Amino acid sequence: MRQAGLTAWKTVEWLLLAAVGLIFVFPFLWMFLTAFKTMPEVYQFPPIWWPESWQFQNFEIAWSSGPFLTYVWNSFLVAAGILVLQLLTGVPAAYAFARYRFRGREALFGLTLIALMIPAQVIFLPVYVEMSHWGLVNTLWALILPYGASAFGIFLLRQSFMQVPDEVIEAARLDNASEWKIMWTIMVPMAKPVLVTFGLFSFIYHWNDYFWPLIMTNSNEVRTLPIGISMLKAAEGGKLWNVIMAGNMILVLPILAIFFFAQRHIISAFVYQSK
């Protein structure tokens, strides 16, 4: 009876997981199939799943509707530049919070956590004024500099650094290793899964960011891919949903590829943090 009960519970658990997975996968599947449909198939009711003939030209129409290569390059520069700055500022801050004892440490870390609760939309006006005073509006720097430090990254790395045994740090100091060397050659490699996970989250967030590029840019030369997709919808009058979905596929595919190759590190990071 006990074994039968466990089997039944496992079956229910798998069914629930499958249902939740389907809820998350369904929008992506619908977007993918719509990107290859003709317009009559998009508006057909009852809706059909599979297109009768796969319309690859939808991607060509979406790509040629604007400087999409520029949008993609700008999105990559912004997301990668932000990630580099966040690591350069976050790793030393997390190391200091995890391994140093100094007056006001808890208060400063509390302020860092408070920053997690403040959305960008609340502070965009003073930041915009500051960028304007520096003459950086409508440049890629205006998209990168305001996100140069990440409270979430500092918190995540601090938790990871605190799990490194004190004996490892003391042994390195006995070998006359500098704090800088300990941080980058010992702590950072041991936190690799957490770094990859944070890097993925940061890159995806800023790759998909729509609000900040919308208010900081006003020319195609510095606009990012989400802005380009929104302009595609406006250019097509909000009617050619197959072309719009093709544009969204261009936006999503790099993220899915990165997630596919980094998922092992993400799982390792969550397992490591739960120990």
Side-chain angles (χ1 to χ4, degrees):
M1 290 294 293
R2 179 181 177 84
Q3 185 63 33
L6 290 175
T7 302
W9 173 249
K10 281 292 183 183
T11 302
V12 172
E13 184 179 359
W14 278 107
L15 289 174
L16 290 174
L17 290 174
V20 173
L22 182 61
I23 291 173
F24 281 95
V25 170
F26 178 79
F28 292 97
L29 182 60
W30 186 259
M31 176 181 65
F32 173 78
L33 295 174
T34 303
F36 291 97
K37 291 179 180 179
T38 62
M39 281 305 299
E41 290 173 336
V42 172
Y43 286 104
Q44 183 173 334
F45 186 83
I48 61 172
W49 276 98
W50 299 99
E52 294 181 4
S53 60
W54 295 74
Q55 306 295 313
F56 291 94
Q57 65 267 27
N58 291 339
F59 290 86
E60 182 180 352
I61 295 172
W63 186 265
S64 60
S65 65
F68 262 66
L69 188 60
T70 299
Y71 296 151
V72 172
W73 180 242
N74 289 340
S75 292
F76 174 78
L77 287 179
V78 170
I82 289 173
L83 178 58
V84 170
L85 283 181
Q86 287 179 342
L87 292 179
L88 289 177
T89 58
V91 170
Y95 180 69
F97 281 132
R99 292 298 171 180
Y100 280 90
R101 301 291 183 268
F102 55 89
R103 181 176 299 178
R105 185 187 68 162
E106 299 301 327
L108 289 175
F109 186 67
L111 290 176
T112 302
L113 295 181
I114 291 175
L116 285 170
M117 308 178 217
I118 303 176
Q121 290 80 0
V122 174
I123 60 172
F124 85 91
L125 186 56
V127 175
Y128 181 89
V129 172
E130 192 68 26
M131 293 294 109
S132 179
H133 287 165
W134 292 352
L136 296 179
V137 174
N138 200 41
T139 67
L140 294 181
W141 286 112
L143 305 180
I144 295 174
L145 290 179
Y147 290 97
S150 170
F152 175 69
I154 294 172
F155 168 76
L156 203 63
L157 289 170
R158 172 186 176 271
Q159 298 305 110
S160 178
F161 289 164
M162 289 182 68
Q163 297 185 42
V164 177
D166 293 335
E167 291 78 8
V168 174
I169 308 299
E170 294 302 326
R173 288 171 177 164
L174 288 175
D175 288 338
N176 294 323
S178 65
E179 295 298 321
W180 186 263
K181 186 176 181 179
I182 293 172
M183 181 174 61
W184 290 107
T185 63
I186 297 177
M187 306 293 281
V188 169
M190 295 183 73
K192 181 181 177 181
V194 175
L195 284 170
V196 173
T197 302
F198 168 70
L200 181 63
F201 287 165
S202 174
F203 192 91
I204 290 176
Y205 176 84
H206 295 290
W207 177 273
N208 292 325
D209 189 18
Y210 176 81
F211 175 77
W212 205 255
L214 177 65
I215 64 173
M216 287 292 181
T217 63
N218 51 43
S219 65
N220 287 335
E221 288 74 15
V222 291
R223 281 178 174 144
T224 56
L225 195 52
I227 304 299
I229 299 298
S230 68
M231 292 177 64
L232 172 64
K233 180 177 178 180
E236 300 298 341
K239 297 179 181 180
L240 300 182
W241 288 106
N242 49 355
V243 177
I244 295 170
M245 291 300 107
N248 281 309
M249 284 294 298
I250 297 173
L251 175 66
V252 169
L253 280 177
I255 298 303
L256 294 178
I258 293 173
F259 180 81
F260 177 78
F261 288 108
Q263 59 179 330
R264 178 173 59 87
H265 294 287
I266 296 174
I267 295 173
S268 299
F270 280 107
V271 171
Y272 181 73
Q273 292 283 12
S274 64
K275 289 181 180 179

